[in-house]
Amino acid sequence: MSTHVQKPGWITVHVLNRAVAWFTRRGISVWGSRVLAVRGRKSGAWRTTPVNLMTVDGQQYLVAPRGHVQWTHNMRAAGGGELHLGKKVEAFTATEVADDDKVPLLRAYLKRWKAEVGVFFNGVGPDSPDEDLRRVAPDHPVFHITVTN
């Protein structure tokens, strides 16, 4: 497994993520945003972060554009969590997608959010050849989401 992580800068953490989370908590989705809540793998405490919920062929996915960050480690340990949009809370289970199956999902993700996250994919975009997407797939965890409530 890759250990790729791109840590967010101060502006992302203290301005952008907080702004998106603020709107999302009030029921206003910013380009598919949700607030992800997942139990910490060591503390058991709920941890939250804004994420982009993607739907492909009627199935829902979470993609980690910055790589193997804290929420991805917690998701693997917890096996699921909650997605919040305003007062609506959806509990879910999560199954990690194998690297070989990520190509169409990463392509769809980049088509939708390239302007926001493209910099984290080392020049690979939605129109890149499959082999380029396959090359970066291990660096970007993808989880299939199944709503349970």
Side-chain angles (χ1 to χ4, degrees):
M1 178 193 299
S2 171
T3 58
H4 173 80
V5 174
Q6 282 195 258
K7 294 190 180 216
W10 188 91
I11 290 176
T12 299
V13 171
H14 296 283
V15 179
L16 298 175
N17 280 358
R18 285 184 182 179
V20 170
W22 186 88
F23 281 107
T24 304
R25 283 188 187 104
R26 281 148 185 83
I28 302 167
S29 177
V30 181
W31 283 76
S33 66
R34 300 292 187 277
V35 173
L36 168 67
V38 64
R39 294 256 184 211
R41 63 193 178 282
K42 296 176 185 173
S43 69
W46 285 101
R47 304 294 184 191
T48 60
T49 191
V51 293
N52 292 323
L53 180 63
M54 177 177 72
T55 302
V56 175
D57 296 330
Q59 301 294 309
Q60 294 183 313
Y61 299 90
L62 293 177
V63 177
R66 292 180 175 272
H68 298 270
V69 293
Q70 293 302 315
W71 75 259
T72 65
H73 297 296
N74 291 338
M75 184 78 74
R76 286 183 192 109
E82 297 176 344
L83 290 171
H84 297 247
L85 178 59
K87 294 180 180 182
K88 182 179 178 184
V89 178
E90 294 181 315
F92 67 88
T93 59
T95 306
E96 192 159 6
V97 175
D99 290 342
D100 292 340
D101 299 327
K102 290 180 186 176
V103 170
L105 300 172
L106 292 176
R107 187 177 306 286
Y109 189 79
L110 287 165
K111 276 184 183 174
R112 174 77 190 232
W113 289 288
K114 182 181 181 211
E116 181 182 334
V117 301
V119 68
F120 308 125
F121 287 83
N122 298 322
V124 175
D127 300 322
S128 295
D130 286 358
E131 55 268 13
D132 288 348
L133 287 159
R134 217 172 277 113
R135 177 178 46 80
V136 300
D139 294 338
H140 303 283
V142 177
F143 295 89
H144 176 253
I145 301 303
T146 302
V147 174
T148 58
N149 63 338

